[in-house]
């Protein structure tokens, strides 16, 4: 019975399909065709929009290329260092003025613990050799570290707890930081790091670090001649010789400046000499009158 009922149901469904008009199929086909037409229209419009956007982009790019690029500051260049940069922070400085701590806030320097050894080059007052281009490979492989301490508290600084196989000194340079501006060798942390980078051939990295400070460009402006001289040396001995020659030249020029005459103008000098001559003549006339004896009157 289940089979005959199923078979009869199948015949009824077939008869129903044959007897039912094809309106819904035509209507559905019409709707699909309508959708297809709408889809074509939308794709065409999208294509037109894409073409317009593309043409607009080309126009804007042409306009941008026609506009002259804004000139950058000559120190507004640089790139991040690919080697480690670290420091021992002894917390001697004012946190608001400390360049090392500002670098740490920017993620450009890593703090080291006292007693922690650093394998790279370390800038320290107890260094034995001067930084030179020969140190480039040491920096490339192991990085730079600096001792962040106060110049007024060097005697209290435990340098024996900040060990490195490569302790170094910096040659003569002039500070540009606001605290010690114009003072020889009184560099801040960022100045010491940047000077080391510059001398060892990492000039772009040096500018990258100095750019974090509004006064950073002044350090290069004050020391550019010296930094280029040091960067052109072969080793520490040549840097010391270049330093000595530079200081001797500066000393000679300073002595020459002090041997110049006074700043009075030639007109003032002539006026003063004329006044002197007039006063001298006046004194001689008065003295002559006093020395001349009166003649006796006739009887």
């Amino acid at each position: 019975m289940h089979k005959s009922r199923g078979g009869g149901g199948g015949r009824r469904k077939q008869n129903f399909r044959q007897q039912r008009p094809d309106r819904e199929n035509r209507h559905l086909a019409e709707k699909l065709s309508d959708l297809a037409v709408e889809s074509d229209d939308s794709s065409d419009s999208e294509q037109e929009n894409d073409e317009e956007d593309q043409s607009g982009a080309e126009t804007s790019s042409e306009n941008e290329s026609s506009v002259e690029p804004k000139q950058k500051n000559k120190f507004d260049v640089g790139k991040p260092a690919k080697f480690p940069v670290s420091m021992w922070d002894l917390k001697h400085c004012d946190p608001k003025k400390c360049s090392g701590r500002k670098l740490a806030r920017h993620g450009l320097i890593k703090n080291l613990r006292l007693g922690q050894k650093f394998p790279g080059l370390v800038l320290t007052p107890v260094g034995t050799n001067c930084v030179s281009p020969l140190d480039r490979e040491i920096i490339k492989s192991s990085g730079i570290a600096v001792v962040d301490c106060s110049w007024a508290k060097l005697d209290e600084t435990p340098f024996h707890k900040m060990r490195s196989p490569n302790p170094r000194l910096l040659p003569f340079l002039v500070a540009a930081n606001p605290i010690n501006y114009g003072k020889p060798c009184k560099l801040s942390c960022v100045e010491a790091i940047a000077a080391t980078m510059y001398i060892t051939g990492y000039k772009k990295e040096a500018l990258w670090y100095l750019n974090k400070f509004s006064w950073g460009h002044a350090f290069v402006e004050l020391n550019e001649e010296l930094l280029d001289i040091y960067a052109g040396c072969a080793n520490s001995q040549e840097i010391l010789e270049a330093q000595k020659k530079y200081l001797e030249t500066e000393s000679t020029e300073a002595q020459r400046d002090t041997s110049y005459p006074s700043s009075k103008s030639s007109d003032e000098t002539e006026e003063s000499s004329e006044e002197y001559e007039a006063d001298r003549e006046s004194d001689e006339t008065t003295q002559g009158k006093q020395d001349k004896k009166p003649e006796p009157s006739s009887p």
Side-chain angles (χ1 to χ4, degrees):
M1 293 179 63
H2 292 289
K3 291 182 179 180
S4 62
R5 189 177 299 161
R11 285 192 295 272
R12 283 197 295 271
K13 288 180 180 179
Q14 291 177 358
N15 294 333
F16 178 76
R17 291 194 188 98
Q18 293 175 359
Q19 295 174 0
R20 186 173 179 83
D22 198 24
R23 289 177 302 172
E24 292 185 2
N25 289 337
R26 287 198 305 272
H27 185 62
L28 181 60
E30 291 173 1
K31 285 186 177 180
L32 288 174
S33 62
D34 292 341
L35 287 174
V37 172
E38 290 176 3
S39 176
D40 293 339
D41 293 340
S42 61
S43 62
D44 293 340
S45 62
E46 288 177 0
Q47 186 176 358
E48 292 175 358
N49 293 334
D50 292 341
E51 292 176 354
E52 291 177 359
D53 294 340
Q54 186 175 359
S55 61
E58 292 176 355
T59 305
S60 62
S61 62
E62 290 177 358
N63 294 334
E64 290 177 359
S65 61
S66 61
V67 177
E68 295 182 359
K70 186 178 179 181
Q71 186 176 4
K72 292 184 177 180
N73 186 293
K74 68 175 182 177
F75 298 118
D76 190 20
V77 293
K79 63 180 181 180
K82 295 182 179 180
F83 44 80
V85 180
S86 304
M87 71 172 178
W88 286 279
D89 184 8
L90 300 183
K91 297 179 171 50
H92 289 173
C93 307
D94 184 347
K96 295 180 181 179
K97 299 178 181 179
C98 179
S99 63
R101 294 193 187 184
K102 183 172 182 178
L103 292 177
R105 290 194 295 270
H106 282 279
L108 297 176
I109 199 167
K110 178 183 178 182
N111 282 307
L112 299 172
R113 302 183 309 274
L114 283 178
Q116 183 176 354
K117 188 175 180 180
F118 186 78
L121 183 148
V122 173
L123 299 168
T124 171
V126 296
T128 54
N129 294 324
C130 188
V131 171
S132 76
L134 284 178
D135 296 318
R136 179 180 175 86
E137 292 303 319
I138 297 175
I139 293 173
K140 182 178 180 181
S141 60
S142 303
I144 305 172
V146 65
V147 179
D148 187 2
C149 62
S150 172
W151 286 101
K153 297 182 179 180
L154 291 180
D155 295 337
E156 306 173 15
T157 304
F159 291 107
H160 63 282
K161 293 184 178 181
M162 295 168 279
R163 296 172 298 163
S164 169
N166 307 296
R168 293 290 186 271
L169 292 166
L170 279 170
F172 176 86
L173 292 166
V174 179
N177 64 80
I179 298 174
N180 293 309
Y181 183 87
K183 295 181 180 180
C185 305
K186 293 294 182 72
L187 307 186
S188 64
C189 282
V190 66
E191 289 172 315
I193 292 169
T196 303
M197 292 178 176
Y198 198 113
I199 293 171
T200 55
Y202 294 104
K203 182 177 178 180
K204 290 185 177 181
E205 288 81 354
L207 297 179
W208 178 268
Y209 273 71
L210 289 171
N211 251 351
K212 307 308 175 187
F213 299 83
S214 59
W215 49 264
H217 63 92
F219 178 72
V220 179
E221 291 174 351
L222 286 176
N223 299 282
E224 189 168 13
E225 179 184 357
L226 267 176
L227 289 169
D228 288 337
I229 291 174
Y230 296 152
C233 295
N235 49 45
S236 297
Q237 185 62 34
E238 288 190 8
I239 284 185
L240 293 176
E241 292 174 359
Q243 172 186 268
K244 181 180 178 181
K245 183 179 179 181
Y246 177 84
L247 293 176
E248 288 176 351
T249 304
E250 290 295 312
S251 177
T252 303
E253 291 180 357
Q255 291 177 0
R256 189 183 304 159
D257 291 340
T258 57
S259 64
Y260 287 155
S262 61
S263 59
K264 289 184 178 180
S265 64
S266 59
D267 294 337
E268 291 177 352
T269 305
E270 291 176 359
E271 288 177 2
S272 61
S273 62
E274 290 175 358
E275 290 176 358
Y276 172 76
E277 291 293 335
D279 292 341
R280 189 170 63 83
E281 291 175 359
S282 176
D283 292 342
E284 290 177 354
T285 303
T286 304
Q287 186 67 28
K289 289 181 181 180
Q290 291 176 354
D291 294 342
K292 185 177 181 182
K293 294 181 180 181
E295 295 180 356
S297 59
S298 58

